[in-house]
């Protein structure tokens, strides 16, 4: 049966285990035409492309790599849903990608695909590697045994890809190769009948999927197949009790592997062990408890350096570019509301998005290289024990570590974590890793109130201790939150550590470039949207109503400046800024929240600062500059700003408002609070919900309030005030 | 004897796998009764095991390995 031949538009699905080079094949075939979209309601992305070939249109989708169609993880559920037509329409042809070096295991999924009784071809990848290993595959014998065409390909140099299309056009329908016991076969047939009656896909594979997914099928799915499920339960006496061993499931799994062994006995000969001695030697070092950890530490050092420091010049270019655009707009547009909105609101908003690209590119470049080379699996092996003891997975390490540079690429990197639960926890605690944007805040406070402190024990500098303390505060909060999350909301027992060590291979430039292009594009269009909107809203709140100084106020400032000998224009400009900010919505909000933040030791000026720093933490500095009247261009080292803060006297008590304890309280607040609208936006995108980011925003700010409160009150009680 | 008790470098055959969802996953990865396994390396402090199995290297957590009962190699089996 060659159903694909007659159609003009053919839907093709690529399915396979992870590490088969499936995505390389997909990239080679689709190139720049691939697009990425969201599956509704979940965080997995859908990669698809439409290409033309010899007058025919092919809609190709690259399904997530999975080991089985039984729905235990989101990836497996999606693959099954796409193949049975629950999401888009069913694919016309399935291309099962397997690696010639791993047939003994990878054919398992292929057998499941054959049971779906749809047109299928097998792309046998990595033939070059197999040859090197001394593994000989008799492609014809394999083809005969499987009952479908097998096309050898070598994805890395593109050979065989054209033949894939020809074969896909003439794909034969698969048939199940499973030898079932008579009782089981009867049960399966019964379920198929029930499915047919319910007008659902009723292949052997569909029946088996239902029968073996009973424990893990979600409620809605079960509802849709109620009749078939009942039939399955009646016939096989399966109870949906996850604790009881489900014999049928295991009988089927064993039967499939028996079939695989039988097929391979005829079709594959291997003369040597399938892994070269070189790879084993490399693994011996890279997974060694001491040397492996050392190599990893060095790799991480380089990665961190790259994301933290080497990105600086690139970020500088982006910022310069944005400024240049802003300047040219001021020349073109007449000054007024529209110009201000664009130059002070929209353009910085866009800049706020673009400025993250250098770090995103660098981080994902590093991650792609680590993953595609096969090293990441080794990392998971080394780190697993350590990370599990704190409730995280080995793959959480890189995203969390890069969050010390910036949480935005760190949260994005969490998508490499395979288990949903670990991914969510990692995303949730990433903002608590003290990011580099907090440093200007720490620098400002330490410079103002801690710079003259005596070294502790004569050698440990107070600033150093404090900064270290702030980092540990963030990490401690992260442990706490991870524990709470695991206990409370995220269901499911700890996922098992079960992963495959892929062969070491050289990453392909094209595949890495694809990842970078996808991530940047998605970031700009999806996360960027939210960042720009929030930036503009915040700018609006900090500007309107745009109340100017009265003429008498202006006169007195001019007078004051003249007597002190300072520049009149600068003094006027700063006073204008300050007046506008204090009378803006954000400014009034700062005054409004003063009673709430007073127990933390903060006054309304810091209140406005807190609101302004929602744009980005380091904006606290320029906001305080505005509020204290030293100008929004003040930076964290500015002596003027420090002086202004220190000489601010509380009229009620006559004492300085900004004491070391207040400074400490402020830093503790910043260490924990979620105060970055870009982080908010990226969490929203990566979790595909508003619940997570909103909960984090409220939760972390509440936690920060408590920590700050404790710091200030305890400190006051101890007399440190 | 269970898989986590097998010495590094030694081979054995899978006899059975304990009940529960994890066991199904282990089986789907290829740990079928009769399959030959060999321990390549062990992670430090009861860390995961690197197991050679059906021509692949699989990392199995120590807890998961406890559910796999193993026995002596049957000379007929050559998986």
């Amino acid at each position: 049966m060659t159903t694909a031949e007659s159609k003009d538009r053919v839907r093709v699905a690529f399915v396979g285990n992870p590490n088969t080079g499936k995505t390389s094949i997909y990239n080679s075939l689709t190139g720049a035409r691939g697009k990425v979209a969201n599956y509704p309601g979940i965080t997995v992305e859908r990669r698809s492309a439409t290409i033309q070939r010899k007058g025919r249109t092919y809609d190709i989708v690259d399904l997530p790599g999975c080991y089985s169609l039984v729905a235990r993880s989101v990836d497996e559920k999606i693959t099954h849903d796409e193949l049975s037509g629950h999401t888009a329409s069913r694919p016309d042809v399935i291309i099962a990608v397997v690696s010639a070096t791993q047939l003994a295991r990878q054919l398992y999924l292929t057998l499941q695909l054959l049971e779906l009784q749809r047109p299928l071809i097998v792309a046998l990848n990595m033939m070059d590697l197999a040859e090197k290993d001394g593994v000989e595959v008799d492609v014809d014998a394999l083809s005969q045994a499987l009952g479908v065409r097998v096309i050898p390909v070598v994805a890395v140099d593109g050979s065989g890809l054209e033949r894939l299309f020809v074969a896909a056009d003439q794909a034969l329908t698969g048939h199940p190769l499973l030898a079932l016991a008579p009782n089981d076969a009867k049960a399966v047939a019964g379920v198929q009948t029930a499915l047919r009656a319910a007008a659902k896909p009723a292949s052997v594979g569909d029946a088996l999927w239902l029968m073996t997914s009973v424990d893990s099928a979600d409620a809605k799915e079960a509802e849709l197949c109620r009749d078939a499920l009942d039939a399955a339960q009646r016939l096989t006496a399966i109870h949906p009790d996850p604790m009881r061993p489900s014999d049928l499931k295991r009988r089927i799994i064993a039967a499939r592997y028996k079939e695989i062994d039988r097929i391979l006995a005829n079709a594959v000969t291997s003369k040597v062990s399938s892994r070269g001695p070189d790879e084993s030697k490399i693994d011996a070092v890279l997974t060694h408890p001491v040397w492996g950890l050392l190599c990893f530490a060095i790799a991480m050092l380089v990665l961190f350096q790259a994301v933290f420091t080497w990105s600086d010049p690139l970020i500088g270019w982006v910022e310069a570019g944005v400024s240049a655009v802003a300047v040219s707009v001021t020349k073109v547009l007449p000054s007024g509301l529209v110009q201000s909105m664009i130059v002070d609101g929209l353009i910085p908003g866009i800049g706020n998005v673009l400025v993250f690209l250098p770090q995103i590119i660098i981080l994902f470049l590093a991650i792609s290289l680590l993953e595609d080379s096969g090293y990441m699996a080794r990392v998971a092996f080394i780190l697993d024990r350590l990370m599990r003891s704190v409730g995280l997975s080995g793959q959480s390490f890189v995203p969390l570590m890069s969050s010390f540079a910036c949480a935005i690429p760190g949260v994005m990197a969490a998508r490499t974590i395979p288990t949903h639960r670990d991914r969510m926890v990692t995303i949730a605690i990433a903002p608590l890793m003290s990011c580099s944007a907090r440093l200007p805040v720490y620098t400002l406070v330490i410079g103002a109130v801690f710079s003259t402190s005596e070294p502790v024990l004569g050698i440990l500098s107070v600033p150093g201790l404090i900064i270290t303390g702030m980092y540990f505060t963030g990490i401690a909060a992260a442990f706490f939150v991870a524990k709470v999350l695991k206990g409370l909301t995220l269901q499911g027992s700890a996922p098992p550590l079960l992963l495959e060590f892929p062969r070491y291979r050289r990453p392909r430039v094209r595949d890495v470039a694809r990842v970078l292009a996808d991530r940047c594009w998605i970031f700009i269009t999806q996360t960027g949207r939210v960042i720009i909107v929030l930036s503009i809203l915040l700018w609006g709140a900090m500007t309107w109503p745009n109340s100017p100084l009265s003429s008498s106020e202006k006169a007195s400032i001019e007078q004051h400046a003249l007597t002190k000998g300072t520049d009149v224009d600068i003094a006027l400009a700063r006073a204008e800024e300050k007046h506008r900010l204090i009378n803006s919505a954000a400014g009034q909000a700062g005054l409004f929240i003063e009673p709430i933040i007073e127990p933390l030791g903060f006054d309304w000026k810091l209140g406005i600062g807190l609101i302004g720093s929602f744009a980005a933490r380091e904006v606290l500095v320029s906001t305080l500059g505005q509020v204290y009247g030293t100008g929004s261009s003040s930076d964290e080292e500015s002596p003027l700003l420090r002086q202004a803060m220190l000489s601010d006297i509380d009229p009620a008590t006559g004492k300085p408002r900004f004491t070391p304890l207040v400074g400490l309280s402020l830093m503790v607040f910043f260490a924990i609070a979620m105060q970055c609208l870009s982080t908010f936006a990226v969490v929203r995108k990566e979790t595909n919900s508003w619940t997570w980011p909103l909960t984090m925003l409220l939760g972390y700010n509440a936690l920060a309030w408590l920590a700050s409160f404790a710091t200030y009150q305890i400190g006051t009680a101890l007399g440190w005030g | 004897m269970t898989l986590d008790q097998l010495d590094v470098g030694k081979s054995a055959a899978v006899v059975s796998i304990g009940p529960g969802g994890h066991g199904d996953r282990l089986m789907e990865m290829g740990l079928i009764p009769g399959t030959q396994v060999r321990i390549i390396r062990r992670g430090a402090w009861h860390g995961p095991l690197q197991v050679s199995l059906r021509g692949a290297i699989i990392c199995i957590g120590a807890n998961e390995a406890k559910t796999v009962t193993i026995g002596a190699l049957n000379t007929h089996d050559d998986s």
Side-chain angles (χ1 to χ4, degrees):
Chain A
M1 265 177 280
T2 52
T3 38
E5 240 180 338
S6 46
K7 292 175 137 197
D8 285 325
R9 195 170 190 117
V10 184
R11 276 180 299 265
V12 180
F14 276 90
V15 188
N17 281 194
N19 307 314
T20 49
K22 172 171 66 70
T23 299
S24 275
I25 297 178
Y26 172 82
N27 284 342
S28 293
L29 291 175
T30 61
R33 278 152 296 185
K35 54 182 196 340
V36 184
N38 275 329
Y39 282 109
I42 47 184
T43 63
V44 179
E45 284 162 349
R46 183 174 199 272
R47 306 187 66 218
S48 61
T50 300
I51 62 181
Q52 307 282 348
R53 216 156 194 109
K54 297 193 174 106
R56 236 190 221 161
T57 309
Y58 295 87
D59 290 319
I60 307 183
V61 63
D62 182 23
L63 297 178
C66 59
Y67 289 108
S68 157
L69 291 182
V70 174
R72 284 192 207 91
S73 70
V74 182
D75 287 347
E76 283 156 355
K77 178 145 207 321
I78 290 195
T79 303
H80 172 262
D81 285 354
E82 282 263 3
L83 292 176
S84 52
H86 286 226
T87 50
S89 346
R90 291 205 284 172
D92 300 310
V93 181
I94 301 173
I95 301 187
V97 183
V98 292
S99 167
T101 58
Q102 297 273 310
L103 282 171
R105 284 188 46 260
Q106 295 191 353
L107 281 182
Y108 183 80
L109 180 60
T110 309
L111 252 56
Q112 287 186 317
L113 294 171
L114 286 169
E115 289 158 14
L116 290 176
Q117 293 172 282
R118 306 275 301 151
L120 179 93
I121 63 171
V122 173
L124 189 60
N125 196 14
M126 301 188 184
M127 291 295 284
D128 55 335
L129 262 183
E131 222 183 277
K132 259 203 333 217
D133 289 347
V135 171
E136 275 178 25
V137 181
D138 184 344
V139 175
D140 290 324
L142 187 59
S143 208
Q144 278 270 38
L146 292 175
V148 291
R149 284 204 183 78
V150 175
I151 312 292
V153 298
V154 180
V156 290
D157 63 29
S159 56
L161 292 182
E162 197 54 46
R163 273 182 293 151
L164 270 183
F165 275 99
V166 177
D169 287 342
Q170 303 162 347
L172 301 169
T173 302
H175 54 269
L177 299 178
L178 212 44
L180 285 171
N183 277 342
D184 293 336
K186 209 163 64 154
V188 171
V191 176
Q192 282 182 282
T193 312
L195 281 171
R196 238 171 263 126
K200 300 226 161 290
S203 67
V204 168
D206 293 307
L208 283 175
W209 184 87
L210 202 59
M211 291 158 85
T212 55
S213 295
V214 164
D215 291 353
S216 43
D218 62 64
K220 200 148 75 123
E221 178 76 54
E223 222 19 75
L224 290 172
C225 306
R226 183 48 46 190
D227 292 332
L229 251 186
D230 288 343
Q233 288 178 358
R234 270 197 312 270
L235 291 165
T236 59
I238 293 177
H239 300 278
D241 171 7
M243 292 317 287
R244 262 183 55 160
S246 183
D247 293 335
L248 177 67
K249 257 194 249 191
R250 298 198 175 190
R251 277 204 298 281
I252 292 176
I253 299 174
R256 286 190 186 121
Y257 270 106
K258 268 217 168 43
E259 199 51 47
I260 293 176
D261 291 339
R262 203 186 61 81
I263 293 173
L264 292 182
N266 293 331
V268 176
T269 49
S270 79
K271 302 209 176 70
V272 299
S273 75
S274 52
R275 279 200 192 213
D278 293 330
E279 284 205 32
S280 307
K281 285 205 197 98
I282 297 179
D283 270 346
V285 174
L286 291 182
T287 57
H288 190 272
V290 175
W291 301 123
L293 217 49
L294 196 65
C295 288
F296 178 64
I298 294 175
M300 288 302 103
L301 227 64
V302 174
L303 191 156
F304 191 75
Q305 184 73 353
V307 179
F308 199 98
T309 311
W310 298 345
S311 58
D312 272 347
L314 301 169
I315 294 178
W317 291 346
V318 172
E319 287 174 338
V322 172
S323 295
V325 171
V327 164
S328 30
V329 169
T330 41
K331 295 209 179 90
V332 169
L333 278 185
S335 81
L337 210 59
V338 174
Q339 193 219 57
S340 181
M341 158 88 150
I342 294 184
V343 172
D344 297 320
L346 182 63
I347 292 182
I350 297 178
N352 227 358
V353 175
L354 298 177
V355 85
F356 288 111
L357 287 182
Q359 284 175 314
I360 291 174
I361 291 175
I362 293 179
L363 179 61
F364 276 89
L365 178 63
I367 289 180
S368 287
L369 292 177
L370 291 174
E371 289 221 338
D372 286 0
S373 64
Y375 182 49
M376 269 312 212
R378 276 80 182 172
V379 168
F381 174 82
I382 308 174
L383 289 183
D384 184 74
R385 184 73 190 81
L386 206 65
M387 297 295 278
R388 252 163 217 267
S389 63
V390 299
L392 296 167
S393 85
Q395 277 121 319
S396 303
F397 189 86
V398 173
L400 288 178
M401 193 196 71
S402 35
S403 297
F404 277 104
C406 175
I408 277 77
V411 167
M412 288 170 70
R415 63 178 39 254
T416 58
I417 300 171
T419 50
H420 175 82
R421 200 170 87 119
D422 289 329
R423 191 187 300 171
M424 291 295 127
V425 173
T426 306
I427 291 179
I429 67 178
L432 290 171
M433 307 291 118
S434 277
C435 70
S436 55
R438 288 169 165 102
L439 285 178
V441 176
Y442 299 158
T443 307
L444 173 68
V445 171
I446 290 174
V449 288
F450 285 110
S451 56
T452 51
S453 312
E454 286 292 307
V456 171
L457 302 178
I459 38 165
L460 300 166
S461 83
V462 169
L465 278 178
I466 293 184
I467 294 203
T468 313
M470 289 304 117
Y471 275 90
F472 276 110
T473 305
I475 296 176
F479 281 166
F480 172 67
V481 171
K483 266 228 143 40
V484 166
L485 276 178
K486 293 225 151 160
L488 275 188
T489 53
L490 296 170
Q491 319 111 312
S493 52
L497 175 69
L498 193 59
L499 78 119
E500 191 182 349
F501 269 15
R503 307 290 295 272
Y504 284 115
R505 49 191 198 277
R506 194 178 307 149
R508 263 196 350 161
V509 172
R510 165 186 249 155
D511 295 333
V512 173
R514 184 85 240 145
V515 169
L516 294 182
D518 284 347
R519 295 270 60 86
C520 285
W521 179 249
I522 292 173
F523 178 76
I524 292 176
T525 53
Q526 301 200 16
T527 312
R529 275 197 308 231
V530 181
I531 293 180
I532 290 180
V533 170
L534 290 179
S535 295
I536 294 183
L537 287 177
L538 188 59
W539 163 82
M542 289 176 76
T543 313
W544 283 331
N546 202 351
S547 62
L549 288 169
S550 66
S551 32
S552 59
E553 283 171 325
K554 275 199 212 166
S556 88
I557 291 170
E558 276 178 25
Q559 185 81 352
H560 188 82
L562 282 170
T563 48
K564 287 192 85 181
T566 52
D567 190 297
V568 172
D569 287 327
I570 293 182
L572 267 178
R574 286 184 184 159
E576 290 262 11
E577 269 187 326
K578 177 174 175 177
H579 184 88
R580 191 178 61 222
L581 178 59
I582 295 177
N583 288 291
S584 70
Q588 295 299 302
L591 278 129
F592 184 71
I593 63 172
E594 192 176 32
I596 310 175
I597 56 177
E598 236 186 299
L600 315 182
F602 306 160
D603 66 349
W604 60 271
K605 295 198 202 63
L606 287 179
I608 299 181
L610 288 180
I611 294 177
S613 60
F614 192 62
R617 290 184 180 88
E618 65 264 27
V619 173
L620 174 76
V621 179
S622 59
T623 309
L624 286 183
Q626 269 189 275
V627 169
Y628 281 98
T630 61
S632 57
S633 52
S634 314
D635 65 29
E636 62 271 19
E637 316 254 330
S638 154
L640 263 182
L641 177 54
R642 280 185 205 168
Q643 216 181 11
M645 288 169 73
L646 288 174
S647 39
D648 188 26
I649 305 287
D650 183 349
T653 63
K655 295 224 211 98
R657 282 230 221 203
F658 201 78
T659 64
L661 186 58
V662 171
L664 193 65
S665 173
L666 186 64
M667 287 193 290
V668 167
F669 190 89
F670 264 84
I672 298 178
M674 177 153 157
Q675 260 166 310
C676 171
L677 59 85
S678 307
T679 308
F680 183 85
V682 85
V683 170
R684 196 222 81 79
K685 159 74 184 96
E686 294 296 320
T687 58
N688 211 359
S689 80
W690 289 97
T691 321
W692 273 96
L694 282 171
T695 312
M696 282 165 68
L697 183 65
L698 294 171
Y700 283 160
N701 288 358
L703 189 62
W705 190 97
L706 283 171
S708 232
F709 179 77
T711 309
Y712 188 70
Q713 296 299 330
I714 295 177
T716 312
L718 289 176
W720 288 349
Chain B
M1 182 155 85
T2 54
L3 186 59
D4 63 311
Q5 297 167 323
L6 189 59
D7 286 330
V8 171
K10 290 279 191 333
S11 300
V14 174
V15 168
S16 70
I17 304 202
H22 292 343
D24 294 344
R25 256 194 202 280
L26 290 172
M27 283 190 71
E28 282 190 323
M29 286 293 252
L31 283 168
I32 307 293
T35 304
Q36 178 175 350
V37 295
R38 182 172 61 86
I39 307 287
I40 300 177
R41 197 166 288 109
R42 198 176 244 114
W45 309 303
H46 293 293
L49 302 162
Q50 282 178 29
V51 179
S52 168
L53 136 77
R54 290 181 182 267
I57 299 181
I58 308 288
C59 281
I60 304 180
N63 284 337
E64 288 75 35
K66 280 199 178 75
T67 65
V68 180
T69 310
I70 51 175
L73 275 178
N74 182 337
T75 43
H76 291 310
D77 273 325
D78 208 9
S79 23

